[in-house]
Amino acid sequence: MRMTLRQLAVFVAVAQEGTVTKASDAVRLTQSAASMALADLEDGLGAPLFDRLGKRLQLNDLGRFLLPQALEILGRCEAFEQAAKGELQSIDLRIGATLTISDYLMPDLMADFLQIQPQAHLQLQVGNTRQMIEAVNQFQLDLALIEGSCFLPQLQCIHWRDDELAVCCSPSHPLANLHRELRQSDFQHVEWILREEGSGTREVFDNAILKDLQDANIRLTLGHNEAILKIVAGGLGMSCISKLAIQPLLDKGQLVILNTPFWQLARPLFMLVHRQKYQGPGLRAFMKFCESK
């Protein structure tokens, strides 16, 4: 058979976007041209690559098996073209980041990278650790920077840097005004305002604190650090969250950090990539830059 790069590009785009309409925009084709390219590819292979669920297309077993190979072929073709031109013409990356990283580390990281690679185009997708793992696993992202753990064997976790969480509360909270060292028992009946399950921040709390406070009163769970900190600063409960997020309100005197040496709240941050994804020059350049920071 004689498949074309266009057909492979449409296949990858549909796999990443979920619909032919969105995929056609991604590959700059009309919807009818994209549909025809996908149909021709499936006819040539003699088997469908997707299960049709209404307007959405979901990869079947064959599609999931072939997607990494299609990505590698397209990646190598792009690298071939750039090598023929004698330079790295462009960097076009889909990057994911968990909320704490996206709010407090990504702005400077992306700005500094664009200073040395001004031709680069970076798209940032934000979500919790669970969502980032799923996006990388489905090849919807080239790379994700995450706070939590990943145990999928097909994904590679590369240590990037370290972060530290802290237990914080309003300066008016009773535990902030004890004139003695805190003990674990002091936290038995406090109210907690926490990140949602699936986030790296919540994973640290569950592993480090919840095991000692099995009856912890989790009053609220929210998906944004800023909302949590504003509520806690207003006097409701306390939280366990990254020091990166706490620092601005700490500087304003609206929050205090409690001394809790009995809990280990340090954590590693990771770069997450799919082992089967071809790492082109652009992705390698960005990963090397991250490792230097």
Side-chain angles (χ1 to χ4, degrees):
M1 67 169 291
R2 294 183 178 179
M3 71 180 66
T4 67
L5 293 177
R6 174 175 290 184
Q7 290 171 354
L8 290 180
V10 170
F11 164 52
V12 168
V14 173
Q16 292 175 335
E17 301 293 343
T19 67
V20 174
T21 301
K22 292 181 180 179
S24 63
D25 292 337
V27 296
R28 297 184 176 90
L29 291 175
T30 63
Q31 183 173 344
S32 59
S35 295
M36 184 175 296
L38 180 60
D40 289 344
L41 177 62
E42 291 182 321
D43 287 344
L45 293 172
L49 299 171
F50 296 90
D51 293 325
R52 272 65 178 176
L53 305 172
K55 292 184 178 181
R56 291 197 62 81
L57 300 178
Q58 182 173 309
L59 284 170
N60 59 22
D61 289 342
L62 178 62
R64 281 190 291 271
F65 176 75
L66 293 179
L67 179 59
Q69 299 174 61
L71 283 162
E72 180 171 0
I73 291 170
L74 293 173
R76 289 190 180 278
C77 286
E78 182 182 1
F80 178 88
E81 181 180 4
Q82 292 170 349
K85 294 177 180 178
E87 60 181 345
L88 183 59
Q89 289 288 334
S90 64
I91 297 175
D92 192 350
L93 297 175
R94 293 184 176 190
I95 302 169
T98 48
L99 289 172
T100 299
I101 294 174
S102 70
D103 286 347
Y104 304 102
L105 298 176
M106 286 304 294
D108 288 341
L109 187 70
M110 295 174 70
D112 291 346
F113 183 73
L114 291 173
Q115 286 290 325
I116 61 174
Q117 297 284 0
Q119 83 286 8
H121 180 227
L122 307 178
Q123 301 179 58
L124 179 64
Q125 179 177 324
V126 180
N128 64 31
T129 295
R130 185 180 297 168
Q131 292 166 336
M132 292 296 98
I133 290 173
E134 179 64 18
V136 172
N137 192 43
Q138 296 297 323
F139 297 97
Q140 296 169 347
L141 294 173
D142 299 306
L143 169 78
L145 301 173
I146 64 172
E147 307 157 37
S149 302
C150 175
F151 302 103
L152 295 180
Q154 65 269 31
L155 303 186
Q156 181 181 12
C157 267
I158 303 168
H159 181 260
W160 173 38
R161 58 183 293 173
D162 294 314
D163 183 32
E164 187 174 356
L165 278 67
V167 175
C168 64
C169 63
S170 165
S172 62
H173 193 282
L175 291 191
N177 295 284
L178 286 181
H179 300 293
R180 59 169 173 80
E181 291 186 356
L182 292 170
R183 299 185 291 266
Q184 286 186 12
S185 58
D186 294 324
F187 294 85
Q188 287 291 343
H189 303 294
V190 302
E191 295 180 330
W192 293 94
I193 316 297
L194 300 173
R195 285 286 307 278
E196 79 287 4
E197 292 185 1
S199 70
T201 299
R202 180 61 179 271
E203 181 183 355
V204 173
F205 175 85
D206 289 351
N207 291 337
I209 298 179
L210 194 58
K211 64 180 180 62
D212 294 326
L213 304 174
Q214 297 181 4
D215 296 323
N217 180 7
I218 300 176
R219 178 76 178 273
L220 286 173
T221 58
L222 299 170
H224 295 280
N225 295 331
E226 298 295 335
I228 291 172
L229 292 176
K230 286 181 180 178
I231 290 173
V232 173
L236 178 61
M238 60 179 54
S239 189
C240 177
I241 210 159
S242 172
K243 286 185 176 180
L244 292 169
I246 297 171
Q247 193 62 50
L249 293 181
L250 191 67
D251 294 340
K252 296 177 181 177
Q254 297 177 4
L255 287 174
V256 295
I257 289 177
L258 300 180
N259 185 28
T260 57
F262 34 81
W263 288 321
Q264 175 53 253
L265 300 178
R267 63 177 177 182
L269 305 180
F270 297 101
M271 290 188 289
L272 186 68
V273 292
H274 202 294
R275 293 183 187 276
Q276 292 182 283
K277 179 174 177 57
Y278 172 67
Q279 295 182 13
L283 179 55
R284 291 199 305 271
F286 186 77
M287 292 175 66
K288 184 176 181 180
F289 177 79
C290 290
E291 289 173 344
S292 69
K293 292 295 181 177

